Amino acid sequence: MWSIDFDREPESVAASDTGSGDLFRGVSFPRDLLERHGARLLDPAAAPLAAGAPVPGSTVYRSDALLVPVPALRPPRRRPARDPYVWITDTLAGIGLTFDVPDLEGVGQDGGACWRPITLRVAEQAKAVVAVDAWVALQELRRNLPPFDGPGQDAIPEDPDDERDPRRRYGRQIGLDHILVGSAYSGIGAAAGIGGEPATDGHGVPGYQIAAPQADFSARHPVQLVLDAPSRRDGAAFERVAGRRRPVIALIDSGVLPHPWLPFSEKAGDDTVILVSGAVQERIEKGLASDQAPARGARPLAKISGYLDSPTPVEPLLGLANAQVGHCVFEAGLIYQIVPDARILVIRGMHADGAMRESALLIGLEYVAEQVRAAQADPAAGLFVDVVSLSCGYFAESEDDRLYTVQLRKKLRELRALGVVVVAASGNYATTRAMQPAGAASIPLAGPAAPMLAVGAKNPDGSTAIFSNEGKAVQYHAPGVALVSTFPPQVQGAQSPVLGIPGSSPAGRPPKPARTSLDGDNYAGGFAAWSGTSFATPIVAATIVRRLVEQASAEHAQAGQAGAGHVQGAARPSALEDVSAAAAIERAAKVVAGLAPPPAPPGS
């Protein structure tokens, strides 16, 4: 038996979500991983600062890229006063930098907020040696932000979109292109045997030490499953129970690989469990294309291409299975076990080593928002997504900065206003420092919005997993240790069984199979055990969607008994078919409220 626990008032360490208590704790990346992704660690003790700027917390970011709102990246035909593109160009030129912009054709046409990364490089006109560092460039842009043209500093609008000067409107939304992770690379959550690790010590990179299953079975390892696949109703059967529209959970993660339980396709057929989209993958690849520009003068960086996960080892001469390969397939299997009638939209944004650029995540969320808007205008033209499940995160350098917008937080607000529930992993660092996007769950929104939940992990005995992050945003805990789910059977690493006797083929007798101990990275059986808040999160997402289906089924049955509703062909859509923002927000709030027990009476 398993359950989801709710804590109405999580124990809050003094600065659990502002970062001032744990601000400098928990961020460290292996050097080769930083180089693979063109990233660097922001060291609070050595970070250059503009006058009056606060000391940042540690974070990891693309060293030569800044996230910029798309409207500020379109060059003007002339040089009008207060033009944001001209302001950015001139400001960066002042420190010897220029930049490349990715292809913006068709971007932002639906009115949603969009960012794209610009790739910084040394300007030909530079008169001195120049360090290409996105943090320094960001500090210079913020130092040169035009003064507020209102009545006083107290009148500065909280939302930069309300600024009158377009340089301030978009300048306040420029930020680092953070590197998110699917799990911890260092710190308590990365210590072998503590939990939350994939197949190798330190989450697969430092030292390449192979982690065998620990006493607490925290490391990823193959298992055998003798249960049948969950029963999925065909379209006609599902329609009789809950209406025509199957609910959808979106995963922006490591991509898909074939598995018998999880057929995938770009077309939503009856047998399609996982939906993929070549269009959004092309958008991600095109949006990050300036990374690969020859002007970088360095080796090409790791890139995302297509929706297939990468079973090919990052280090082919070692042959070890990638640290986060199968991450998304494992999540999808958990969802399928809980709500097999749902569809799972998979967008690949994470590399097989567990790193994901914030820009890739933003483009994936941008696609989800576009599909939702299209479905709300015409259900046949888009895809309504009920829940977005995010098993990734980063530590922001400044959590409580009122002036500058956290891009990811703004995009999630937009989705929630459309009626999409957001569920995010709290992280595996055993820290109270808020990981983004999960930390945003504690921030109230103005206006109607679907809920956002931050999720921690539980052990099988119900205790909180030792690696699970805490903080005032983390109100929900779900099973997240030694879980069993689907895993790509194609993944077979270089680790060999400790003991083995080869098979034989005696003449005239049946072949005799080999005898071996467990091969810790041969997943030919198609299932694995794994741990982490990454996997507690889709369990919560799937539970929400299962309850949405149960709620729709109850209303559907009631409407049928009354001789009205979808069953009798009436105009009123069934609960799941009404994808208007208002209806989606209302039903999501009702279902999520059901996950939490009612508050105790006063004085009890």
Side-chain angles (χ1 to χ4, degrees):
M1 298 296 292
W2 61 272
S3 64
I4 295 172
D5 295 343
F6 174 75
D7 187 350
R8 195 173 302 279
E9 296 183 1
E11 184 177 351
S12 181
V13 178
S16 61
D17 287 275
T18 64
S20 58
D22 257 350
L23 191 60
F24 311 121
R25 156 113 195 282
V27 180
S28 176
F29 272 46
R31 184 171 183 82
D32 54 350
L33 186 136
L34 291 172
E35 291 179 358
R36 192 181 306 139
H37 297 284
R40 70 174 61 187
L41 173 67
L42 182 63
D43 180 357
L49 296 174
V55 176
S58 55
T59 194
V60 179
Y61 63 99
R62 272 293 315 280
S63 58
D64 63 351
L66 285 173
L67 282 173
V68 180
V70 166
L73 292 178
R74 303 190 188 278
R77 294 181 179 178
R78 296 174 294 172
R79 287 180 61 89
R82 308 205 306 177
D83 180 78
Y85 181 88
V86 172
W87 170 73
I88 294 170
T89 303
D90 291 348
T91 301
L92 294 179
I95 55 173
L97 294 176
T98 186
F99 56 91
D100 298 316
V101 179
D103 186 354
L104 300 179
E105 182 180 359
V107 177
Q109 291 183 340
D110 76 332
C114 296
W115 290 262
R116 287 295 183 272
I118 60 172
T119 302
L120 304 171
R121 55 185 172 87
V122 178
E124 293 181 4
Q125 299 81 9
K127 298 180 180 180
V129 175
V130 177
V132 181
D133 185 344
W135 171 256
V136 173
L138 181 63
Q139 291 295 295
E140 184 68 11
L141 287 166
R142 290 179 174 179
R143 186 178 74 86
N144 285 277
L145 197 69
F148 178 59
D149 58 359
Q153 292 296 308
D154 292 341
I156 295 177
E158 185 171 344
D159 187 342
D161 286 336
D162 295 332
E163 291 268 15
R164 291 182 292 184
D165 186 334
R167 296 169 297 178
R168 289 184 57 85
R169 184 184 313 140
Y170 300 118
R172 286 177 55 188
Q173 299 183 58
I174 298 173
L176 299 175
D177 192 357
H178 298 94
I179 302 294
L180 293 88
V181 295
S183 196
Y185 285 111
S186 69
I188 289 178
I194 294 295
E197 307 92 4
T200 55
D201 245 0
H203 294 264
V205 187
Y208 300 103
Q209 301 172 43
I210 301 167
Q214 307 294 320
D216 62 359
F217 296 96
S218 58
R220 183 183 73 194
H221 60 279
V223 297
Q224 295 186 84
L225 188 70
V226 295
L227 299 174
D228 292 332
S231 177
R232 178 181 172 89
R233 286 173 283 206
D234 63 28
F238 185 79
E239 181 176 349
R240 286 193 296 272
V241 174
R244 287 187 293 263
R245 188 184 76 84
R246 289 185 185 270
V248 177
I249 299 173
L251 302 175
I252 304 176
D253 213 274
S254 62
V256 297
L257 283 171
H259 190 281
W261 281 17
L262 304 171
F264 61 86
S265 172
E266 293 199 47
K267 296 182 179 179
D270 238 14
D271 296 332
T272 305
V273 175
I274 293 179
L275 285 172
V276 291
S277 167
V280 68
Q281 298 302 153
E282 182 180 350
R283 184 185 302 190
I284 289 173
E285 187 171 357
K286 187 170 73 171
L288 310 184
S290 60
D291 291 350
Q292 311 299 325
R296 291 191 73 257
R299 66 179 184 178
L301 302 177
K303 62 185 291 188
I304 293 291
S305 182
Y307 46 70
L308 293 178
D309 199 348
S310 176
T312 304
V314 171
E315 296 289 346
L317 299 184
L318 294 174
L320 297 181
N322 292 329
Q324 298 289 335
V325 66
H327 195 257
C328 187
V329 172
F330 195 92
E331 294 171 48
L334 292 170
I335 293 170
Y336 190 63
Q337 292 176 58
I338 295 169
V339 56
D341 288 320
R343 284 203 173 97
I344 305 167
L345 171 65
V346 167
I347 299 172
R348 183 175 175 233
M350 182 186 292
H351 295 269
D353 59 13
M356 174 160 56
R357 287 181 57 181
E358 185 179 4
S359 48
L361 177 57
L362 285 168
I363 294 173
L365 293 171
E366 172 189 307
Y367 176 81
V368 172
E370 287 179 10
Q371 289 294 309
V372 169
R373 285 194 190 90
Q376 288 173 337
D378 177 4
L383 179 73
F384 186 82
V385 174
D386 299 85
V387 181
V388 170
S389 180
L390 300 175
S391 294
C392 55
Y394 73 95
F395 292 115
E397 66 278 7
S398 53
E399 289 301 318
D400 54 355
D401 198 327
R402 175 177 169 268
L403 184 61
Y404 300 106
T405 293
V406 177
Q407 293 87 345
L408 186 53
R409 198 176 284 174
K410 180 175 180 179
K411 196 65 192 179
L412 293 176
R413 283 201 304 264
E414 180 184 318
L415 275 170
R416 293 171 61 192
L418 292 171
V420 180
V421 178
V422 177
V423 186
S426 67
N428 301 339
Y429 282 87
T431 179
T432 57
R433 185 180 176 192
M435 240 182 155
Q436 299 302 327
S442 64
I443 301 174
L445 298 187
M452 179 173 180
L453 294 73
V455 181
K458 295 197 303 178
N459 291 308
D461 64 1
S463 60
T464 299
I466 195 68
F467 57 79
S468 187
N469 290 1
E470 296 293 344
K472 67 181 181 182
V474 187
Q475 292 186 300
Y476 296 86
H477 288 80
V481 175
L483 294 165
V484 174
S485 187
T486 50
F487 198 84
Q490 306 88 338
V491 177
Q492 298 185 32
Q495 181 182 359
S496 299
V498 176
L499 299 173
I501 301 173
S504 60
S505 300
R509 297 176 60 186
K512 188 175 182 179
R515 291 170 55 87
T516 71
S517 56
L518 176 67
D519 185 339
D521 61 359
N522 185 331
Y523 293 92
F527 295 90
W530 211 345
S531 301
T533 59
S534 284
F535 310 125
T537 300
I539 286 175
V540 172
T543 301
I544 290 170
V545 168
R546 185 177 68 185
R547 294 192 177 196
L548 285 173
V549 172
E550 291 168 351
Q551 177 179 291
S553 298
E555 295 179 10
H556 213 55
Q558 187 177 12
Q561 292 171 0
H566 178 73
V567 173
Q568 299 297 325
R572 181 182 181 275
S574 69
L576 286 174
E577 290 172 31
D578 187 349
V579 296
S580 65
I585 290 169
E586 181 181 358
R587 65 174 173 257
K590 182 177 179 181
V591 163
V592 171
L595 295 177
S604 62

